[in-house]
Amino acid sequence: MAITFDDLPYSIAGDPEAQNTLDAARDANASILAALDHRRAPATGFVVERRVRALGQMGEILLAPWNQGHLELGNHSFGHRDSNDLSLDEFRREVTDGEATIDPMVRKAGRSLRFFRFPYNHVGDTADRREAFETVLRERGYRIAASTIDTSDYLFDAAHEHALTVGDEDMRQRIETAYLDYSRTEIAYYADLNRQVLGCEPPAVMLLHLNRINASVMDRLLEIFQASGYRFASLDEAQAHPAYASSPRFVTKFGPMWGYRWARDQGVKVDGSKEQEPPAWIVSYGKTPTP
Ligand SMILES: [Zn+2]
């Protein structure tokens, strides 16, 4: 299975409500990188150029370790706009402007940018638009980064951020536990879904964000995968499996995981309502206004 992080260098850098982002961004990156190193897990980090700029000089500095060894930088667009709202020209600009910092970095390291992940996993809301987007990406040497496991980590992170803001340590730990429990459930759910749809379990691709809840639990989260028998691979190795030979054809304006898309392509009926939702208390706590 492959681990991927979206919204590098830091998921809330540049957001109006984000405070003390420089320290938080540095600490979150350091913790996540240490856990990846400790578990010998390769990973791909998908960069939003707007968030790089929001951190000033620190932005590129934080990306440097992601451009070495088993780690790899990918493009997650310039401004994280929803491709459903973009013309083809606007989409092309989001891709090329998204390369501003990372393309020179990877070239200097003798590498190239190989993967693009669509914001919200919105890969094109009609067959024509999806094909046009794919052509733009192919011409620039990209493959689409798949996503097969999602734990709604951003919802847990919003709750975690609130607990940090109000200094409620008991609550923060309860949120972490709930997040790890839910991750366990989702990892098993998507493994079953993919097996049911494809008759085999291709290497999984875990979608995470570069945020503080992941920084806090990353070693424990990776341990869950190892305890479940998974072996860590790079995204490139994972997507070498024939299941990823082409992107799913099913067209939607939403951003479901690949298992649901494969199900539609294969004509396999699956009941998405069986997927457990994140706990309601997490969602509501994460929406509590900051005092
Ligand atoms: Zn994103």
Side-chain angles (χ1 to χ4, degrees):
M1 58 112 20
I3 304 282
T4 67
F5 293 90
D6 282 7
D7 293 43
L8 263 64
Y10 182 51
S11 68
I12 56 173
D15 288 356
E17 68 279 11
Q19 288 168 0
N20 303 322
T21 37
L22 281 183
D23 285 346
R26 197 183 45 224
D27 293 350
N29 273 270
S31 299
I32 285 173
L33 290 166
L36 292 170
D37 187 51
H38 178 227
R39 300 276 166 189
R40 303 269 174 275
T44 307
F46 288 94
V47 177
V48 175
E49 174 67 17
R50 183 173 65 80
R51 300 204 188 280
V52 180
R53 295 184 187 186
L55 292 169
Q57 280 184 325
M58 178 73 83
E60 186 170 340
I61 291 168
L62 291 177
L63 296 179
W66 292 91
N67 190 30
Q68 294 169 5
H70 296 310
L71 304 180
E72 176 167 3
L73 290 167
N75 188 344
H76 193 37
S77 83
F78 175 83
H80 208 277
R81 295 176 67 192
D82 182 345
S83 74
N84 292 348
D85 302 331
L86 301 178
S87 70
L88 187 57
D89 279 342
E90 288 171 325
F91 174 71
R92 190 179 287 114
R93 225 170 308 133
E94 277 292 300
V95 175
T96 54
D97 291 351
E99 297 168 352
T101 300
I102 54 178
D103 191 53
M105 286 179 71
V106 299
R107 281 176 191 281
K108 221 171 165 182
R111 298 176 165 201
S112 61
L113 291 170
R114 302 193 290 179
F115 289 98
F116 180 85
R117 176 166 278 136
F118 281 89
Y120 316 104
N121 270 317
H122 289 175
V123 304
D125 52 349
T126 67
D128 285 352
R129 280 163 56 76
R130 186 194 61 214
E131 270 161 43
F133 291 162
E134 284 183 3
T135 302
V136 167
L137 294 174
R138 206 178 313 115
E139 284 170 358
R140 301 198 67 78
Y142 290 108
R143 293 185 67 188
I144 296 173
S147 302
T148 72
I149 310 173
D150 159 57
T151 54
S152 304
D153 65 340
Y154 61 93
L155 292 175
F156 290 89
D157 186 58
H160 187 258
E161 283 295 319
H162 186 70
L164 283 170
T165 302
V166 299
D168 189 339
E169 177 58 18
D170 285 350
M171 185 55 142
R172 195 191 66 76
Q173 289 186 20
R174 277 181 60 203
I175 293 162
E176 280 187 359
T177 304
Y179 175 49
L180 290 170
D181 287 346
Y182 186 67
S183 297
R184 246 178 242 113
T185 304
E186 290 291 86
I187 291 163
Y189 174 82
Y190 282 110
D192 281 348
L193 174 68
N194 295 341
R195 235 181 347 249
Q196 185 192 338
V197 171
L198 300 173
C200 68
E201 202 190 323
V205 180
M206 178 82 191
L207 169 65
L208 295 164
H209 292 83
L210 199 310
N211 57 32
R212 286 206 279 189
I213 193 165
N214 284 326
S216 188
V217 306
M218 191 48 51
D219 196 64
R220 284 174 279 164
L221 184 59
L222 295 176
E223 189 183 20
I224 290 172
F225 278 109
Q226 286 181 320
S228 315
Y230 287 94
R231 187 180 66 79
F232 300 121
S234 67
L235 184 58
D236 191 52
E237 287 170 314
Q239 289 198 201
H241 187 279
Y244 298 103
S246 62
S247 292
R249 298 290 88 193
F250 171 61
V251 169
T252 169
K253 65 178 177 172
F254 300 108
M257 292 297 99
W258 262 228
Y260 289 118
R261 300 174 194 253
W262 283 324
R264 298 298 286 260
D265 284 5
Q266 308 276 336
V268 176
K269 268 217 159 24
V270 296
D271 184 359
S273 69
K274 289 197 177 124
E275 183 180 350
Q276 203 176 306
E277 298 288 333
W281 67 268
I282 290 285
V283 180
S284 60
Y285 187 74
K287 287 182 183 157
T288 319
T290 307

